[in-house]
Amino acid sequence: MTAPVLAMTVGDPVGIGPEITATVLAEFAGRDDQHGVAVADLAVMKRAVDVLGLDVELRAITDWSTPSAGQGVIDVFDIGVLGHDLPGWGVVDARAGQAAVTAIEVATKAAMDQEIAGIVTGPINKEAVWKSGSKHLGHTEMLGELTGVSKQDTMFVVENTKTPEHKLQIFFATRHMSLRKAIDALTVDTQVDSIERAHRALQLYGVDSPRLAVAALNPHGGENGAFGDEEIEILRPAVERVGESGLEVTGPIPADSVFHQGLSGRFDGVLSQYHDQGHIASKTFDFDGTISVTVGLPILRTSVDHGTAFDIAGQGIADAGTMRSAYRAAIGYAPFVDGIRAEYLPK
């Protein structure tokens, strides 16, 4: 059986992305369950390897079907944007932004053409991307345009190291908007849609019979209207409607306990009502290990959930924990790629 090829885009080449990519690829080189390939300028990866003092060889490839060279070798799909004239570490630079965009485009095309099993993305700097001339707000918008998909969802994956079988997936009913606008955006119909999409994503990513919980919005779940009526007027009717269709969904459950219950094994996923509700829960539990999966795309994409860390870039001290988790998650999800493609390819 051929190992799945996973493309790792380093993100901004003057941030910590090249270092954490090199660290992870060096660790996984030689394993027969994957073949990781860095997508970047070869010189960018060489500089990262030198900074880290890694005893590895870099090999430029131009064909995704090239077999892994094994332990001690990091394969690089050289995008040829920067050449040997690299911008300095930790500086917002238009050329670096262009390199980040090009890497995403190259990897996404390979995934859409079924040449690779999935993409693991490093952190980009949005200002550098915009300076390069790109109008995209970030990774999600770029991937949506490149794959022809208008709506994607974010799934956080949090692993409980004490009980590894209790992995929790967190979804978001609303994302990048003010808290007031997020509350105003909640309706029965949008909540039903969010629940159904989360449930389907859990199935596509390997949970046969998903158990989904809906987080309440107000303290103590609203206390029967004493602290807010969104649970009564929006969340509970949505849960009941979805439940009537046969999906296993519970809630609304007070947010101060629902994530703990999920991590204890009661639920496979939790639908968070707004951005920080789910982010605070996951990152407090495991800041370095929480990773992001973009669902709704016809390709597999996992990602780190942190920034470029320009202040420490080039020092060889960046923690590769989240990139390692994102890469490990991509290996685990790779067997489900065909189902993901079939579900989300534009009709």
Side-chain angles (χ1 to χ4, degrees):
M1 180 177 178
T2 303
V5 179
L6 298 169
M8 299 186 73
T9 60
V10 303
D12 195 298
V14 301
I16 63 170
E19 296 168 72
I20 59 178
T21 298
T23 297
V24 172
L25 288 180
E27 291 177 3
F28 282 80
R31 283 180 38 166
D32 59 8
D33 60 348
Q34 52 73 52
H35 177 199
V37 178
V39 186
D41 283 86
L42 187 65
V44 166
M45 295 306 297
K46 183 179 186 309
R47 183 167 69 171
V49 166
D50 290 344
V51 163
L52 293 164
L54 293 176
D55 183 19
V56 295
E57 174 189 344
L58 294 175
R59 181 178 68 160
I61 66 170
T62 57
D63 186 340
W64 294 106
S65 64
T66 303
S68 170
Q71 192 170 1
V73 179
I74 294 177
D75 284 332
V76 183
F77 199 100
D78 190 352
I79 60 174
V81 174
L82 299 174
H84 294 283
D85 181 21
L86 303 183
W89 290 108
V91 178
V92 175
D93 185 277
R95 293 177 63 238
Q98 183 57 57
V101 171
T102 299
I104 296 165
E105 292 173 342
V106 167
T108 303
K109 183 179 186 304
M112 290 294 287
D113 291 344
Q114 301 185 58
E115 295 181 293
I116 61 175
I119 305 171
V120 182
T121 58
I124 62 173
N125 180 280
K126 291 182 176 62
E127 185 179 354
V129 167
W130 297 334
K131 278 193 171 186
S132 76
S134 173
K135 304 301 182 184
H136 295 293
L137 295 176
H139 265 127
T140 303
E141 295 78 11
M142 200 180 312
L143 289 165
E145 181 172 310
L146 292 171
T147 59
V149 173
S150 60
K151 185 174 183 179
Q152 306 106 56
D153 298 306
T154 296
M155 178 175 77
F156 275 7
V157 181
V158 190
E159 294 189 8
N160 190 337
T161 55
K162 293 182 180 178
T163 52
E165 68 275 15
H166 296 160
K167 179 171 66 176
L168 179 65
Q169 283 87 188
I170 298 175
F171 302 88
F172 299 86
T174 62
R175 291 191 295 175
H176 295 132
M177 58 180 67
S178 72
L179 181 56
R180 183 172 299 280
K181 288 183 178 179
I183 295 171
D184 291 341
L186 297 177
T187 68
V188 174
D189 288 340
T190 61
Q191 190 74 184
V192 167
D193 182 59
S194 295
I195 293 170
E196 291 177 341
R197 291 169 70 88
H199 199 278
R200 184 62 180 145
L202 287 170
Q203 288 182 314
L204 289 172
Y205 285 82
V207 182
D208 291 333
S209 301
R211 301 162 301 160
L212 183 71
V214 171
L217 176 70
N218 294 299
H220 303 286
E223 287 282 14
N224 292 317
F227 300 149
D229 57 12
E230 285 82 5
E231 286 74 18
I232 296 172
E233 296 186 357
I234 298 173
L235 304 186
R236 195 176 301 158
V239 169
E240 290 172 353
R241 186 196 298 181
V242 174
E244 290 171 358
S245 69
L247 302 186
E248 186 172 346
V249 57
T250 305
I253 299 175
D256 61 0
S257 60
V258 67
F259 298 99
H260 170 75
Q261 291 177 30
L263 284 164
S264 298
R266 183 177 176 187
F267 306 112
D268 302 300
V270 172
L271 177 63
S272 169
Q273 298 304 326
Y274 57 92
H275 181 280
D276 281 9
Q277 188 180 58
H279 277 247
I280 291 171
S282 61
K283 293 179 181 179
T284 299
F285 183 80
D286 189 358
F287 186 87
D288 292 323
T290 296
I291 63 106
S292 175
V293 181
T294 304
V295 297
L297 296 174
I299 62 174
L300 170 63
R301 182 255 179 154
T302 67
S303 180
V304 298
D305 192 48
H306 60 67
T308 53
F310 276 174
D311 56 324
I312 62 169
Q315 299 179 36
I317 60 175
D319 188 337
T322 306
M323 181 64 97
R324 185 180 298 109
S325 295
Y327 190 71
R328 189 182 295 116
I331 296 171
Y333 290 136
F336 306 108
V337 167
D338 287 344
I340 294 167
R341 286 183 58 82
E343 175 76 9
Y344 290 127
L345 269 177
K347 303 295 190 291

